[in-house]
Amino acid sequence: MAKQQQVTVLGATGSIGQSTLDIIARHSDDFRLYAVTAFQQIQGLADICQRFSPRYAVVPSSDKAAQLKQYLAVDSLTEVLVGADALKQVSAAAEVDVVMAAIVGAAGLAPTLAAVHAGKRVLLANKEALVMSGELFIRAAQQSGAELLPVDSEHNAIFQCLPETAQKQVGSADLTEHGIDKILLTGSGGPFRQLPINDLYHQTPDSACKHPNWSMGRKISVDSATMLNKGLEYIEARWLFNCQQQQLEVIVHPQSVIHSMVQYRDGSVIAQLGEPDMRTPIAHCLGYPERIRSGVKGLDFSQLGQLTFEAPDFQRYPSLQLAIDCCWAGQAATTALNAANEVAVAEFLAERIAFGQIANVCDHVLQHISLHPCTELEQVLAVDEDSRRRANQRVRELA
């Protein structure tokens, strides 16, 4: 690489953040950690600061800042910053080349947009940025010249299967012009793929978080169990790859070896395969267009066994159907769905609603909210707030 890249990692203590730091440590001549952020795991953030000595560490409150400073050495080179404005500051700073956007949920939208407005290379691991503000987000990237590289294994796989000219047109490529008939978005089906449907309703948080292939945070693990995670990825893919409805399809692939595929008009299907390890797409994005070592072993095809595929069962995964419907209903619908799901999953993890009630909360909000056009970020945030209020009200009704 021409020069050492300065990297901000939003959500450094989460699974994506940790994998990113692993890659940076393997390529310390090429990457330098500029800033890290965390919400709750302050001890973990302190460990990162002691290991990498970033210039800044951002926490949500003065109490968390005091806690972090207690953990840091007196002569620490890391300055502690506080609050949402600080998140935007370390995302948009002139010194920063790359921003890993890995804050889970709506909280990641503002700092990710700040990086986009500042024209950074944005490694997009926060689904909600596009789910909540897809059209606004893509427009902002086009105006600023920001480079969007998808980190989610499925979207990164699709990106790798595209022609180079289409890779340079994230958010605006005409798939038909590039000879593409369809994007096939794969999903494992989660831990309940073969569970009798009658047993789904009362599954526990611990059982929902036992993903068969991936190691993820609890919120994302629950979303995988409902396949709402795949629904959010469907919405994200629509914006990243400028898909029309007939050009995007979800297929269940339990082994999580083929991460997604692109089908061309001549009958060819190009797929990206790899071990289920997020370091592979992270290394691809950090090194792009070069290839760098990720620490992930190559596939041993002699040991793979069978690779199987099936259509999603929407009776088993009603949240996935909701997401697909919302994708084509407009920005307000996808924003409302995301907000309602965040509330519902949090309540499920706190054991205040049943697993089978997550989709109920989401559907209720979508039926009772005004789905007016959202052309400004303020309108998106208003829908988000209203949806959370209605979701919390529905949770109280179900209790």
Side-chain angles (χ1 to χ4, degrees):
M1 293 185 181
K3 71 179 184 73
Q4 190 179 51
Q5 301 285 294
Q6 297 284 318
V7 183
T8 287
V9 180
L10 302 173
T13 58
S15 60
I16 297 293
Q18 290 294 298
S19 293
T20 304
L21 296 176
D22 182 85
I23 303 297
I24 290 174
R26 293 172 186 274
H27 300 275
S28 56
D29 290 341
D30 296 321
F31 304 103
R32 172 85 170 83
L33 198 60
Y34 176 83
V36 288
T37 82
F39 185 70
Q40 289 183 318
Q41 299 181 48
I42 304 305
Q43 177 66 71
L45 187 64
D47 294 343
I48 291 168
C49 293
Q50 289 166 0
R51 182 182 177 194
F52 291 91
S53 297
R55 183 169 174 182
Y56 298 107
V58 183
V59 293
S61 67
S62 55
D63 289 346
K64 298 291 187 185
Q67 184 181 351
L68 178 58
K69 290 175 182 177
Q70 285 184 332
Y71 290 136
L72 295 177
V74 175
D75 59 351
S76 173
L77 300 176
T78 301
E79 181 179 347
V80 180
L81 304 178
V82 178
D85 287 342
L87 285 176
K88 291 188 283 188
Q89 174 187 327
V90 299
S91 298
E95 300 94 326
V96 173
D97 301 294
V98 180
V99 175
M100 168 57 78
I103 295 177
V104 175
L109 176 58
T112 305
L113 266 176
V116 168
H117 286 303
K120 305 301 182 185
R121 170 177 277 198
V122 180
L123 312 189
L124 198 58
N126 173 289
K127 297 178 180 61
E128 291 77 12
L130 285 170
V131 171
M132 290 180 64
S133 63
E135 186 174 0
L136 302 176
F137 194 92
I138 295 298
R139 186 194 316 150
Q142 291 169 344
Q143 291 172 347
S144 69
E147 184 179 19
L148 301 181
L149 294 176
V151 171
D152 270 349
S153 61
E154 295 82 1
H155 302 99
N156 183 263
I158 294 163
F159 182 89
Q160 292 194 51
C161 294
L162 295 175
E164 183 179 354
T165 50
Q167 291 179 349
K168 301 297 184 184
Q169 299 173 313
V170 170
S172 62
D174 186 320
L175 297 183
T176 302
E177 285 187 3
H178 291 286
I180 296 168
D181 273 349
K182 188 178 294 185
I183 285 172
L184 300 166
L185 189 67
T186 60
S188 71
F192 302 147
R193 183 178 63 86
Q194 294 180 308
L195 191 74
I197 288 180
N198 291 339
D199 294 342
L200 279 174
Y201 190 88
H202 291 295
Q203 289 301 307
T204 67
D206 284 345
S207 62
C209 289
K210 290 180 181 177
H211 195 282
N213 303 328
W214 297 92
S215 175
M216 306 181 292
R218 287 175 72 80
K219 194 269 181 184
I220 296 176
S221 295
V222 174
D223 284 347
S224 180
T226 64
M227 279 198 81
L228 191 279
N229 193 51
K230 198 57 50 182
L232 298 181
E233 290 173 6
Y234 180 98
I235 297 164
E236 189 179 7
R238 179 261 176 103
W239 292 112
L240 282 172
F241 306 114
N242 196 30
C243 299
Q244 302 301 311
Q245 189 166 359
Q246 71 277 11
Q247 294 173 320
L248 189 54
E249 181 180 331
V250 173
I251 185 129
V252 175
H253 169 50
Q255 294 81 18
S256 297
V257 172
I258 295 177
H259 298 305
S260 276
M261 300 171 277
V262 175
Q263 183 170 305
Y264 287 82
R265 71 163 65 102
D266 61 6
S268 300
V269 178
I270 298 179
Q272 188 267 342
L273 288 73
E275 293 285 346
D277 190 318
M278 286 305 299
R279 289 178 298 172
T280 296
I282 291 168
H284 175 262
C285 290
L286 280 171
Y288 183 81
E290 299 175 21
R291 297 278 181 171
I292 64 175
R293 294 282 180 185
S294 67
V296 179
K297 66 179 181 179
L299 282 176
D300 182 348
F301 282 86
S302 67
Q303 300 299 315
L304 275 184
Q306 291 186 331
L307 301 181
T308 61
F309 307 90
E310 60 194 60
D313 178 353
F314 292 111
Q315 184 180 358
R316 179 179 299 277
Y317 305 115
S319 293
L320 175 59
Q321 183 67 71
L322 282 176
I324 292 172
D325 293 342
C326 286
C327 181
W328 309 107
Q331 190 68 77
T334 59
T335 300
L337 173 64
N338 178 71
N341 181 68
E342 284 192 18
V343 171
V345 170
E347 295 295 314
F348 165 67
L349 288 171
E351 300 187 47
R352 287 190 284 265
I353 64 171
F355 179 79
Q357 292 174 320
I358 295 173
N360 177 285
V361 172
C362 295
D363 188 43
H364 176 87
V365 170
L366 289 165
Q367 290 185 32
H368 290 85
I369 199 164
S370 174
L371 299 180
H372 53 76
C374 292
T375 58
E376 302 294 337
L377 183 58
E378 291 74 16
Q379 294 172 313
V380 170
L381 295 177
V383 171
D384 178 81
E385 182 180 358
D386 189 25
S387 300
R388 290 174 192 276
R389 179 183 62 80
R390 291 177 185 273
N392 279 304
Q393 179 181 345
R394 181 58 174 169
V395 166
R396 290 192 295 271
E397 293 170 358
L398 293 172

